[in-house]
């Protein structure tokens, strides 16, 4: 497994590199964002670990840049910020997981192994999804409705992609937690409701017809009227 580590603290970087090397993984460590971004764009990386606080740039901004460039490598974000808003911000920016410092090496390895087992975000068989006047370009990571672009966060894009893949079917909260967040358990948070509310506002607000509906006690469904 080839892991890119973006961490400016030498002691933390050495700790992570040593732990991952012990299980046979290769680690490429970068102390600054620019060369790490270039390396990710070059391919050959299986997983990435980003520190949140980096010299000259927030780790979330680095994440947004690589996601905007179409890089789908799973990214685990390390941070000293433990607040719910900080975790949500990390997921919104395109992080696949979020680990608070200080952490145990065993937990870091377990989380990375889970990300490594996750299927790719995009299948090659469907590059575009269309429901009514809603269009999702899965290659270009763009969405539009009625010809007008939708300003979706990476996480909102994944949610919409998941819903559209099950057009006309009820998608449960558990399904979304597993497919979008990669959770094999219910974290008992309002993550799904919060992000679905934001997504519906962007997709349906001000439109004559609503495409996304809540099925009380069951989940969510997207379908043309």
């Amino acid at each position: 497994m080839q892991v890119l580590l973006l961490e400016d603290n030498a002691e933390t970087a050495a700790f992570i590199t040593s732990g991952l090397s012990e299980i046979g993984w290769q680690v490429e460590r970068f102390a600054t964002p620019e060369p790490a971004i270039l390396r990710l764009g070059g391919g050959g990386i299986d997983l990435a670990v980003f520190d949140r606080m980096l010299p000259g740039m927030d780790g979330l901004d680095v994440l947004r840049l690589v996601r905007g460039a179409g890089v789908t490598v799973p990214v685990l974000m390390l941070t000293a910020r433990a607040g719910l808003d900080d975790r949500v911000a990390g997921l919104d920016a395109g992080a696949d997981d979020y680990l608070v410092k200080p952490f145990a090496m065993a937990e870091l390895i377990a989380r990375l192994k889970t990300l490594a087992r996750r299927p790719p975000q995009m299948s090659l068989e469907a590059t575009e999804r269309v429901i009514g006047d809603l269009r999702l370009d899965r290659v270009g990571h763009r969405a539009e409705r009625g010809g007008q672009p939708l300003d979706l966060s990476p996480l909102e894009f994944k949610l919409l992609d998941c819903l559209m893949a099950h057009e006309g079917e009820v998608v449960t909260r558990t399904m979304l937690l597993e497919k979008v967040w990669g959770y094999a358990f219910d974290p008992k948070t309002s993550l799904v409701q919060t992000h679905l509310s934001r997504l519906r506002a962007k997709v349906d607000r001000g439109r004559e017809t609503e495409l996304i509906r809540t099925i009380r006690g069951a989940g969510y469904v997207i379908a043309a009227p």
Side-chain angles (χ1 to χ4, degrees):
M1 195 66 62
Q2 196 75 18
V3 181
L4 182 143
L5 173 61
L6 177 53
E7 169 61 72
D8 63 314
N9 183 280
E11 185 176 346
T12 301
F15 172 65
I16 294 173
T17 300
S18 176
L20 297 184
S21 297
E22 286 179 1
I23 63 170
W25 289 9
Q26 303 296 315
V27 179
E28 294 185 44
R29 183 251 176 156
F30 295 86
T32 55
E34 291 79 5
I37 293 171
L38 290 174
R39 179 64 185 90
L40 278 168
I45 298 295
D46 300 303
L47 297 167
V49 178
F50 287 3
D51 185 24
R52 173 72 191 268
M53 303 302 293
L54 295 165
M57 186 180 294
D58 191 301
L60 297 188
D61 292 329
V62 178
L63 189 53
R64 293 186 186 100
L65 284 173
V66 298
R67 291 296 188 236
V71 176
T72 59
V73 171
V75 175
L76 183 146
M77 182 71 68
L78 297 175
T79 181
R81 301 176 179 180
L84 176 60
D85 289 344
D86 293 307
R87 296 197 300 272
V88 170
L91 295 170
D92 267 345
D96 295 272
D97 202 353
Y98 204 86
L99 186 58
V100 177
K101 297 178 179 179
F103 56 87
M105 179 56 63
E107 182 178 7
L108 174 64
I109 290 174
R111 287 174 179 255
L112 289 175
K113 284 183 175 180
T114 297
L115 292 181
R117 291 194 298 267
R118 187 180 300 179
Q121 292 181 19
M122 299 294 180
S123 69
L124 297 178
E125 55 193 44
T127 60
E128 182 179 86
R129 303 196 194 282
V130 179
I131 298 177
D133 62 350
L134 176 64
R135 175 178 174 270
L136 189 80
D137 177 358
R138 304 179 76 222
V139 176
H141 277 253
R142 294 184 294 268
E144 61 180 43
R145 184 162 184 198
Q148 299 299 313
L150 301 176
D151 183 18
L152 303 182
S153 71
L155 189 59
E156 290 164 350
F157 187 93
K158 291 170 69 174
L159 272 173
L160 185 57
D161 185 36
C162 183
L163 289 172
M164 294 180 75
H166 297 273
E167 179 182 1
E169 304 172 12
V170 175
V171 181
T172 68
R173 180 173 179 274
T174 299
M175 289 172 62
L176 290 172
L177 283 168
E178 180 180 351
K179 293 178 179 295
V180 177
W181 280 272
Y183 290 162
F185 62 94
D186 189 342
K188 305 299 182 184
T189 70
S190 59
L191 276 178
V192 174
Q193 294 91 325
T194 298
H195 286 87
L196 251 300
S197 177
R198 293 176 183 172
L199 178 63
R200 291 183 67 178
K202 293 181 179 181
V203 172
D204 287 335
R205 182 173 294 169
R207 309 283 180 175
E208 291 185 7
T209 58
E210 293 187 355
L211 299 180
I212 303 175
R213 293 181 290 119
T214 300
I215 309 300
R216 189 175 299 276
Y220 306 90
V221 64
I222 186 169

